[in-house]
Amino acid sequence: DTMTAAKEMVKPDFQNKGHEMVYTFVQKVGNYSKLADKKDVVYTYTYATPDGKTDITTEKYMFKGELSYADFKQHETTLPDLTGKLEQGYDGKNYWVKSDGKLLEDEAAIKRAAFSRSTNYYWFAMNQKLLDPGMIYEYIGEKETDGVVSHDIVKISFEPDDKPTDIYQVYINKKTGLVDQLLFTVVDFGVVDTPMLMQVKYKDVGGIMIPSDRRYKMSTWGADIDDKPWIKVDWTDIKFDNGLTTEDFKA
């Protein structure tokens, strides 16, 4: 609506230089209202680990309410013992899992669904969410690549509450204006001290730059990585505005 559009046109009061750089980047790739205007998305998600295991899902999200659904074509890392058709969903209130059309009551499986549904949605909309309220920005400095100043580094964290929260350190490429790598922590599984380094490549889908080609591995806060193989995540066949309704996300 025009109110929201007008509000997005007005630049926020920036906390600092880091905040302004992140804001500029998000406008470049497409901000949250631009994403929300697309109503929903359907895409193929492929997750491949170095040991040769792969998950392939059809992911469906509705941006209003952040509803999320996955139909697994292959699940070698997620509940691999289950045979048959596996589905996960979040309907706005509850997380659920179905195996061959039957709802599972298994707590571990539901917990896994809660993690996957919220995490996969978050990563898809992450660039837009970097401007969420309650974020703290800190300009860290410049990064050199082969003796040339290549990136600006901004650390992004959440206003502290009782539990430890994720930290992101984004590298904004000076030439392209895009975040092409970032460090992140995964607090859900208790891994806080050691970040992962993710490298991304973008493609333009309906006027939004989507970081669809992703790979990551363990790192240091100095972004030093070893030569171990990468975990790879690819998003393909991305289609917006599919006319999904809340019914599509119910168990």
Side-chain angles (χ1 to χ4, degrees), residues 39-43 58-71 87-98 103 117 121 242-251:
K39 306 279 194 295
D40 64 50
V41 68
V42 177
Y43 69 100
T58 299
E59 299 270 327
K60 298 181 179 182
Y61 311 145
M62 218 163 110
F63 299 122
K64 190 179 180 176
E66 305 194 349
L67 309 186
S68 169
Y69 167 85
D71 175 4
E87 298 166 89
Q88 291 177 337
Y90 172 63
D91 61 12
K93 286 199 182 80
N94 300 306
Y95 294 97
W96 54 267
V97 191
K98 270 178 165 176
L103 271 174
R117 291 307 87 225
Y121 180 92
N242 302 276
L244 300 181
T245 70
T246 52
E247 288 300 313
D248 293 304
F249 298 89
K250 288 185 177 158

Side-chain angles (χ1 to χ4, degrees), residues 117-174:
R117 291 307 87 225
S118 54
T119 304
N120 288 15
Y121 180 92
Y122 188 86
W123 279 113
F124 191 86
M126 181 186 162
N127 287 337
Q128 289 72 26
K129 283 175 162 287
L130 292 176
L131 293 175
D132 275 0
M135 297 291 212
I136 297 162
Y137 307 89
E138 186 190 341
Y139 181 72
I140 300 287
E142 293 177 325
K143 172 188 176 352
E144 284 192 11
T145 309
D146 304 326
V148 180
V149 176
S150 56
H151 294 76
D152 286 297
I153 310 169
V154 183
K155 180 180 165 188
I156 304 168
S157 53
F158 296 83
E159 278 176 1
D161 56 13
D162 301 338
K163 59 184 199 306
T165 51
D166 300 319
I167 294 167
Y168 299 97
Q169 193 163 295
V170 298
Y171 290 74
I172 304 170
N173 186 304
K174 282 182 178 285

Side-chain angles (χ1 to χ4, degrees), residues 210-242:
I210 304 282
S212 57
D213 179 333
R214 313 158 74 81
R215 60 181 198 166
Y216 61 96
K217 61 161 106 177
M218 287 305 216
S219 174
T220 65
W221 283 108
D224 307 302
I225 46 175
D226 55 28
D227 50 11
K228 289 198 180 86
W230 298 82
I231 295 168
K232 293 197 168 119
V233 181
D234 287 303
W235 303 337
T236 50
D237 309 319
I238 303 165
K239 293 181 182 71
F240 287 119
D241 225 340
N242 302 276

Side-chain angles (χ1 to χ4, degrees), residues 24-72:
T24 304
F25 158 67
V26 175
Q27 306 319 303
K28 189 179 176 80
V29 293
N31 61 30
Y32 206 92
S33 74
K34 197 170 173 186
L35 184 67
D37 282 346
K38 304 280 191 195
K39 306 279 194 295
D40 64 50
V41 68
V42 177
Y43 69 100
T44 302
Y45 173 98
T46 308
Y47 171 89
T49 55
D51 58 6
K53 293 193 169 81
T54 304
D55 282 359
I56 302 169
T57 65
T58 299
E59 299 270 327
K60 298 181 179 182
Y61 311 145
M62 218 163 110
F63 299 122
K64 190 179 180 176
E66 305 194 349
L67 309 186
S68 169
Y69 167 85
D71 175 4
F72 286 78

